Amino acid sequence: MPAMVPTRTALSQSWCALSLLHGRIESRIERSLQSKHGLSVREYSLLDVLSRQHDGLGGHLQMKEVADAVVLSQSATTRLVTRLEDRGLLARYLCPTDRRGIYTNVCEAGLKLLDEARPTNDTALREALDEAAKDPELAPLVRAVESVNLPA
């Protein structure tokens, strides 16, 4: 009797393809950022998210919001912030209106590194998408990513 091969649903196949595309992109960007700037993808993402904060109402992100933005747990985000703070790329300070709140800002050195790393990130992303577009299973996802127009 032949062995039964479990079949995946279309939704499951799509999810696997999306996961594969994400993994390939993240791996390509990670290698490039590490080799050229000594940054991980998560470190780059954290610097990018925090660099877009501003002073004023709703301008600073709470650690939970930062964790959600970089797709990490709050404890992992705190460890990541500490590592970048130890490297002189970030600084923490108390919220002036709520002494229990702690803000994190990107220091000048962090902004400089982010500016230097941004072209590397973008090039690695483009290369990863171009490579993935050659795979018939991933090509529709690449087209979907390329067609999304989010506000800057």
Side-chain angles (χ1 to χ4, degrees), residues 21-117:
L21 178 62
H22 176 269
R24 287 184 182 180
I25 291 170
E26 189 170 64
S27 178
R28 171 75 64 104
I29 294 172
E30 180 81 26
R31 285 190 312 270
S32 293
L33 288 174
Q34 278 291 346
S35 68
K36 295 178 181 167
H37 307 284
L39 281 174
S40 70
V41 169
R42 297 288 187 228
E43 290 167 337
Y44 176 88
S45 296
L46 179 62
L47 289 172
D48 182 55
V49 165
L50 293 176
S51 74
R52 290 185 267 122
Q53 295 185 120
H54 58 85
D55 290 328
L57 188 60
H60 284 88
L61 301 173
Q62 297 175 345
M63 286 304 284
K64 166 118 179 58
E65 294 168 312
V66 173
D68 289 346
V70 296
V71 194
L72 290 173
S73 68
Q74 282 187 267
S75 61
T77 302
T78 299
R79 289 190 301 273
L80 183 58
V81 165
T82 299
R83 280 198 315 272
L84 292 177
E85 186 178 36
D86 290 346
R87 290 174 58 185
L89 303 174
L90 299 178
R92 286 185 247 204
Y93 65 94
L94 290 176
C95 172
T97 58
D98 179 359
R99 303 303 280 179
R100 296 169 295 170
I102 298 174
Y103 291 149
T104 304
N105 273 343
V106 182
C107 298
E108 283 302 316
L111 290 173
K112 183 176 185 287
L113 182 58
L114 181 61
D115 285 344
E116 292 168 357

Side-chain angles (χ1 to χ4, degrees), residues 121-131 142 146:
N121 180 78
D122 293 347
T123 298
L125 173 58
R126 179 75 267 154
E127 292 170 353
L129 288 171
D130 289 348
E131 185 65 30
V142 171
E146 292 172 335

